[in-house]
């Protein structure tokens, strides 16, 4: 039986650094990400996936649109051989990040680690695309 | 070994089902459908299709004499407590098989069974006692003889359609599950190809080229305006209500007519089925009510007259101003007629087994307001206004279950009729968008319309 200490030891950490301060990007900007994987404690990683995507939040079912996807299975590109990684991609013109009342659109970078066996771990890092102010109920600008 | 958890945490405070158990349940469901389809198909093929095929391909031809005839009765309990009786002509035939004279009752196809005894008797009368006829017998069981061959196409169709549908639904579900097995949701979403074919309902709406999740606007600019460039299509809630009332009235009253005809035939035959009459009275009441509601909605829809909205350009861009022309037809006076630009969010979600859609107007800007508007049959009310999309506006957005929609809304309060609203969807692009050329239209007609605009 795993103890709490064992579980915390088995929980990896992915530290992500964006190239832009405040993670604020404009459409057609290049988003560049560097990351470092720590705390795998000898667990073997068989694949790493990089993705840049948008998803919806709010009252509706979650929708997802993947803008960039990359799967790495080369052992030389992942821990323990290499604990850092980087990827970049130009951002699209839409959809822009949006903070609505029942519909929200969020952009994020995900780094997903697949361990030997069936376990996987995902690290998600939200950023903002565009400069749309949050919606407020029945706001009129007349 | 650790079993997958039944519940996994999503974002925020919501808890959702475990994906592993979901995939397992989905696979089990579709696997069951597939197996059921295969078994059902095998039963139908072996019980219906194969015997007919054998009669047509393997039975040997011979000459026979009809010795006796009668009706075979089949009684089946359906539902328990009642029985259904069906009849089928049967003929006793003397025939020759490999030098041996045999006598046997003919085996007709099960499709010959009919609940109408008179019809079975009429068919039986077509056969004459002592008549010489061609017959076919089973070489592996010579006592099995038939006097007619052919195929029951509807049985073959049934035996293909029902199991085929089960196999198709179960098979595509299983293939979809197997393709997704072991893949992350990002990997699945990034995969292209079969997913659209396997799960067409889960696909997002078509997006504008180069602008993911922004809806296409082709359907909104395929109608030229009379004064401005485009006439926007209308999306009227009242029209859908009218269609709904109409469908309900037609379908319900069709049921009432069927019941009434049954009751009338009973009366003519000297029987009175009091249960049928008791059922007919409330059904008739609802039918009349449905008809009245439909007629009332139809009068409202036609009495107010059409509303048209034309716009100088489309799709719209944040920070830009657009001319719009509001035209209201019909007769009579409308106390108040307003035009507004609105932003509506739409979210579709599942609640138990229901799928619900919620709409919230999160932004509204009055554009124009008119009072005591008079429209004549040959002279519609027309007014121009300017619509400005805010610089920091969210663009139109659409995905499989969520949407952010822009629309121009005309609301009116007629003097003698209930208030109405008419919605004209528009598409707003992201700021600084470089719009592609609009869909091709006849240049001559556009030039003509533009010159009309200038001359006014």
């Amino acid at each position: 039986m795993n103890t709490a200490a064992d579980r915390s030891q088995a929980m990896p950490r992915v530290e992500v650094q964006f190239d832009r301060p405040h993670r604020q990007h404009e459409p057609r900007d290049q988003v560049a990400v560097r990351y470092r994987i720590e705390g795998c404690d000898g667990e073997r990683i068989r694949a790493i996936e990089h993705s840049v995507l948008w998803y919806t939040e709010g009252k509706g079912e979650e929708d997802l649109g993947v803008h960039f996807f990359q799967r790495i299975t080369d052992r030389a590109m992942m821990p323990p051989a290499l604990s850092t990684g980087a990827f970049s991609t130009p951002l699209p013109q839409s959809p822009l990040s949006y903070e609505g009342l029942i519909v929200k659109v969020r952009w994020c970078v995900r780094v997903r680690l697949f361990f030997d066996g069936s376990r996987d771990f995902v690290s998600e890092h939200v950023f903002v695309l565009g400069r749309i102010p949050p919606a407020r109920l029945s706001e009129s600008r007349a | 070994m650790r079993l997958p958890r039944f519940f996994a945490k999503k974002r925020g405070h919501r808890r959702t089902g475990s994906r592993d158990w979901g995939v397992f349940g989905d696979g089990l469901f579709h696997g069951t459908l597939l197996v059921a389809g295969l078994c059902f198909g095998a039963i139908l093929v072996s019980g219906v299709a194969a015997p007919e095929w054998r009669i047509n391909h393997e039975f040997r031809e011979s000459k026979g004499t009809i010795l006796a005839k009668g009706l075979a009765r089949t009684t089946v309990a359906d539902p328990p407590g009642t029985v259904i009786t069906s009849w089928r002509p049967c003929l006793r035939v003397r025939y020759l098989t490999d030098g041996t004279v045999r006598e046997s009752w003919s085996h007709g196809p099960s499709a010959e069974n009919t609940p109408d005894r008179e019809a079975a008797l009429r068919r039986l009368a077509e056969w004459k006692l002592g008549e010489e006829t061609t017959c076919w017998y089973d070489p592996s069981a010579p006592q099995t003889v038939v006097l007619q061959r052919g195929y029951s196409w509807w049985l073959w169709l049934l035996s293909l359609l029902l199991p085929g549908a089960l196999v198709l639904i179960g098979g595509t579900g299983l293939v979809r599950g197997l393709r997704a097995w072991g893949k992350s949701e990002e990997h699945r979403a990034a995969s292209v190809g079969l997913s659209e074919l396997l799960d067409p309902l889960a696909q997002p709406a078509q997006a504008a080229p180069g602008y993911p999740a922004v809806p296409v606007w082709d359907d909104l600019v395929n109608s030229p305006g009379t004064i401005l460039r485009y006439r926007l299509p209308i999306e009227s809630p009242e029209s859908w209500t009218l269609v709904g009332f109409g469908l309900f009235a037609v379908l319900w009253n069709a049921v009432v007519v069927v019941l009434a005809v049954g009751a009338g035939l009973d009366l003519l035959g000297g029987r009175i089925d009091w249960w049928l009459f008791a059922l007919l009275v409330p059904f008739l009441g609802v039918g009349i009510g449905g008809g009245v509601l439909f007629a009332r909605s139809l009068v409202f829809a036609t009495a107010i007259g059409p509303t048209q909205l034309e716009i100088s350009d489309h799709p719209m861009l944040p920070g830009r101003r657009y001319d719009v022309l509001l035209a209201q037809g019909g007769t009579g006076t409308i106390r108040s007629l307003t035009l507004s630009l609105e932003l509506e969010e739409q979210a579709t979600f599942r609640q138990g087994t229901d799928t619900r859609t919620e709409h919230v107007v999160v932004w509204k800007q009055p554009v124009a307001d008119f009072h005591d508007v008079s429209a004549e049959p040959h002279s519609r009310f027309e007014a121009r206004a300017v619509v400005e999309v805010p610089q920091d506006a969210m663009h139109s957005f659409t995905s499989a279950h969520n949407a952010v929609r822009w629309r121009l809304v005309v609301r009116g309060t007629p003097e003698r009729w209930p208030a109405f609203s008419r919605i004209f969807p528009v598409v707003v692009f992201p700021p600084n968008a470089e719009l592609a050329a609009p869909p091709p239209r006849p240049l001559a007609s556009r030039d003509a319309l533009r010159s009309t605009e200038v001359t006014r």
Side-chain angles (χ1 to χ4, degrees):
Chain A
M1 188 179 147
N2 288 346
T3 63
D6 291 338
R7 279 198 298 273
S8 68
Q9 279 172 2
M11 183 68 77
R13 290 185 305 280
V14 179
E15 288 182 4
V16 167
Q17 194 176 4
F18 283 79
D19 61 332
R20 297 287 173 97
H22 311 301
R23 299 183 178 184
Q24 170 72 53
H25 290 77
E26 298 300 325
R28 289 183 281 188
D29 273 0
Q30 188 86 7
V31 60
V33 172
R34 291 183 162 278
Y35 65 88
R36 171 181 290 278
I37 301 168
E38 294 172 346
C40 290
D41 293 337
E43 263 196 290
R44 286 188 62 176
I45 296 175
R46 61 183 167 88
I48 299 177
E49 285 180 359
H50 305 151
S51 49
V52 177
L53 60 120
W54 59 265
Y55 60 84
T56 60
E57 257 192 10
K59 201 148 193 176
E61 300 286 318
E62 183 185 272
D63 297 322
L64 182 85
V66 175
H67 170 65
F68 169 82
F69 180 78
Q70 187 178 41
R71 183 177 171 91
I72 296 170
T73 51
D74 183 358
R75 297 271 187 191
M77 300 288 287
M78 59 185 74
L82 192 65
S83 61
T84 60
F87 56 94
S88 68
T89 181
L91 290 167
Q93 307 203 72
S94 64
L96 303 181
S97 299
Y98 176 62
E99 190 75 20
L101 293 176
I102 60 169
V103 176
K104 301 172 201 305
V105 181
R106 297 207 198 289
W107 276 90
C108 71
V109 162
R110 285 184 188 170
V111 177
R112 190 180 286 268
L113 313 177
F114 291 85
F115 295 98
D116 278 349
S118 63
R119 195 167 83 93
D120 68 319
F121 171 83
V122 63
S123 178
E124 180 179 299
H125 305 270
V126 174
F127 64 92
V128 178
L129 177 61
R131 295 176 187 276
I132 306 293
R136 280 175 286 171
L137 188 61
S138 297
E139 181 188 352
S140 174
R141 303 185 186 192
Chain B
M1 194 182 91
R2 197 172 63 180
L3 285 171
R5 286 178 299 172
F6 275 103
F7 295 99
K9 188 127 169 111
K10 205 187 170 189
R11 292 186 191 81
H13 304 290
R14 288 196 290 180
R15 293 181 77 85
T16 60
S18 155
R19 187 175 167 267
D20 292 331
W21 282 107
V23 170
F24 175 74
D26 191 61
L28 191 68
F29 172 72
H30 286 104
T32 307
L33 284 187
L34 181 65
V35 170
L38 290 173
C39 292
F40 191 27
I43 290 168
L44 283 174
V45 166
S46 62
V48 177
E52 275 198 358
W53 188 89
R54 284 198 68 233
I55 289 172
N56 284 281
H57 289 84
E58 293 183 353
F59 277 33
R60 288 186 190 156
E61 188 175 322
S62 180
K63 284 287 176 192
T65 308
I66 298 173
L67 302 177
K69 59 182 186 177
L71 288 181
R73 183 175 63 183
T74 308
T75 305
V76 179
D78 181 33
T82 61
V83 291
I84 293 177
T85 303
S86 58
W87 307 86
R88 178 163 56 88
C90 269
L91 301 153
R92 188 156 183 87
V93 189
R94 180 188 296 141
Y95 56 103
L96 197 64
T97 61
D98 298 328
T100 308
V101 176
R102 294 181 184 274
E103 280 187 21
S104 181
W105 285 100
S106 66
H107 290 67
S110 56
E112 277 191 352
N113 277 328
T114 171
D116 185 354
R117 189 172 182 274
E118 299 302 319
L121 279 172
R122 280 195 298 276
R123 287 218 303 272
L124 188 66
E126 294 169 6
W127 300 97
K128 303 281 184 267
L129 288 175
E131 186 181 18
E132 288 262 329
T133 184
T134 306
C135 61
W136 293 266
Y137 66 91
D138 187 349
S140 57
Q143 68 277 12
T144 304
V145 64
V146 297
L147 297 181
Q148 282 180 323
R149 294 203 300 182
Y151 291 101
S152 313
W153 291 111
W154 65 271
L155 270 178
W156 278 76
L157 197 66
L158 197 70
S159 63
L160 288 175
L161 272 183
L162 286 178
L166 288 173
V167 168
L168 190 70
I169 294 169
T172 50
L174 267 186
V175 171
R176 194 173 57 227
L178 288 174
R179 285 186 84 240
W181 185 259
K183 284 184 180 173
S184 63
E185 62 175 339
E186 301 90 49
H187 197 170
R188 290 198 306 275
S191 300
V192 290
L194 269 178
S195 60
E196 289 180 12
L197 187 67
L198 294 173
D199 202 0
L201 295 179
Q203 301 306 314
Q206 198 183 355
Y211 292 88
V214 175
V216 289
W217 72 95
D218 303 28
D219 287 347
L220 305 181
V221 294
N222 54 12
S223 182
T226 54
I227 295 172
L228 299 181
R229 194 171 186 186
Y230 300 118
R231 190 180 74 185
L232 294 170
I234 192 168
E235 188 180 275
S236 170
E238 283 88 359
S239 300
W240 288 110
T241 308
L242 181 66
V243 170
F245 279 143
L247 272 177
F248 175 78
V250 168
L251 293 176
W252 189 275
N253 283 303
V255 174
V256 171
V257 167
V258 170
L259 287 177
V261 167
L265 289 176
D266 278 356
L267 268 181
L268 288 174
R271 296 189 303 272
I272 297 179
D273 188 340
W274 290 110
W275 284 111
L276 184 58
F277 274 92
L279 193 67
L280 191 58
V281 171
F283 266 59
L284 191 62
V286 175
I288 292 169
V292 168
L293 271 178
F294 171 63
R296 187 169 172 267
S297 303
L298 189 66
V299 169
F300 286 169
T302 50
I304 291 167
T307 307
Q308 288 185 354
L309 206 61
E310 295 179 10
I311 193 161
S312 56
D313 205 1
H314 195 266
M316 301 168 90
L317 285 170
R320 298 265 183 96
R321 295 160 72 92
Y322 298 87
D323 285 342
V324 289
L325 173 81
L326 168 63
Q328 178 62 50
T331 55
T333 303
I334 297 175
R335 283 205 302 267
S336 158
L337 194 65
T338 63
L339 173 65
S340 56
L341 178 64
E342 294 182 0
L343 177 63
E344 181 197 65
E345 292 178 10
Q346 178 185 308
T348 303
F349 55 95
R350 269 179 283 178
Q351 202 168 52
T353 54
D354 296 341
T355 299
R356 295 178 186 276
T357 300
E358 186 169 320
H359 303 258
V360 175
V361 174
V362 296
W363 189 88
K364 184 177 173 183
Q365 182 182 43
V367 174
D369 195 357
F370 308 98
H371 295 279
D372 297 325
V373 169
S374 292
E376 303 296 331
H378 301 293
S379 167
R380 64 180 189 175
F381 167 79
E382 285 184 3
R384 290 179 81 144
V386 174
V387 175
E388 183 174 2
V389 182
Q391 182 69 47
D392 54 2
M394 174 58 179
H395 59 81
S396 299
F397 166 82
T398 183
S399 59
H401 303 95
N402 298 274
V404 176
R405 298 183 195 280
W406 283 93
R407 57 198 200 161
L408 286 159
V409 182
V410 177
R411 290 189 175 84
T413 311
E415 204 161 49
R416 290 184 300 153
W417 303 101
F420 66 92
S421 65
R422 280 158 189 183
I423 295 166
F424 299 85
V426 288
V427 170
V428 172
F429 260 58
N432 306 317
E434 292 162 3
L435 293 179
R441 295 174 48 216
L443 286 176
S445 66
R446 186 191 297 172
D447 291 344
L449 293 166
R450 279 197 167 280
S451 67
T452 308
E453 185 182 351
V454 171
T455 53
R456 282 177 68 90

